[in-house]
Structures are given as structure tokens and as C-alpha cells.
Amino acid sequence: MRATAADGNEFSGGEYRLIFETAAYFRVQAAQGLYPFVEIAFLVRDGEAHFHIPLLLSPNGYTTYRGS
């Protein structure tokens, strides 16, 4: 089984990045954020099938982890 993106495309093993445009989000929220974007780099190993990588965001900080 292979890792699959939300659009149905399969990921092959390798390094990937998610980039969140947080400045645009905060603009819509009428808030001033410290980080204009957040980049999460992660590794997909051959044979891995499921990823849940949450981004917890506030105007002055963020955190992420590998969920279940």
C-alpha cells in the first residue's frame, strides 16, 4: 500500500513539503500573525500508507506533529 494524497494521487517514497500561506489566513481573520507562512517538511518511506500532519496555529506561534 502507498501513501495517497487527498486528490487520490499516490506519493512515492521521498521528502515532501507542505507550505501554508498563513498571512492570507490572518488577513481574512483581521489578525496580525508573526509568521507569513509555515513550511512543514516530512519524509514518506516506501510502504507507508497514511499521514495525518496537523498544524496548530495561533497569531504568534505554531506547532505540528505526526498524528495517527
Side-chain angles (χ1 to χ4, degrees):
M1 189 172 217
R2 298 182 71 87
T4 305
D7 63 5
N9 290 324
E10 290 187 350
F11 289 106
S12 57
E15 295 177 6
Y16 292 88
R17 290 185 186 130
L18 296 172
I19 300 173
F20 295 87
E21 299 290 338
T22 56
Y25 169 78
F26 286 124
R27 235 184 340 270
V28 170
Q29 301 298 319
Q32 287 186 319
L34 179 61
Y35 301 101
F37 68 92
V38 172
E39 180 178 88
I40 301 171
F42 61 99
L43 179 63
V44 172
R45 293 175 186 85
D46 286 330
E48 290 184 310
H50 179 79
F51 284 84
H52 178 81
I53 303 174
L55 172 64
L56 306 175
L57 180 64
S58 73
N60 295 306
Y62 68 91
T63 189
T64 186
Y65 59 94
R66 181 174 182 170
S68 57

